[in-house]
Amino acid sequence: MSSAQNQFKAGQTHGKTQAKTEQWVESCKDSANTARENTAHAADQSAGFLQQTGEQVKSMAQGAIDGVKNTLGVGDNNNRK
């Protein structure tokens, strides 16, 4: 094989390798972006769930406080008599 043929094949191999590398890098970028978007979506869902749960706990605590006040006779319902 001549030197020119070897250089041509080396150039082809280099070009193919470079193209594959660029495809791989793009694929990694796409995967990273998808993972980032999925993580952000999951965080948003978690925040919403925690906020809703916090509101429920707050409401239950207020109901318990009102129940105790009424039992002790210091609740709003007992002051109106």
Side-chain angles (χ1 to χ4, degrees), residues 44-78:
D44 289 344
Q45 285 183 327
S46 295
F49 173 77
L50 291 174
Q51 182 177 2
Q52 183 180 5
T53 302
E55 291 295 325
Q56 290 173 343
V57 169
K58 180 180 169 184
S59 177
M60 290 170 55
Q62 187 60 51
I65 290 169
D66 291 343
V68 170
K69 284 181 177 180
N70 288 332
T71 299
L72 296 175
V74 293
D76 289 338
N77 294 337
N78 292 323

Side-chain angles (χ1 to χ4, degrees), residues 17-52:
T17 302
Q18 187 174 0
K20 287 286 184 184
T21 301
E22 289 173 4
Q23 288 174 350
W24 182 76
V25 168
E26 285 303 313
S27 176
C28 287
K29 286 180 183 179
D30 290 344
S31 294
N33 284 335
T34 300
R36 181 179 47 82
E37 290 169 3
N38 289 343
T39 301
H41 181 68
D44 289 344
Q45 285 183 327
S46 295
F49 173 77
L50 291 174
Q51 182 177 2
Q52 183 180 5

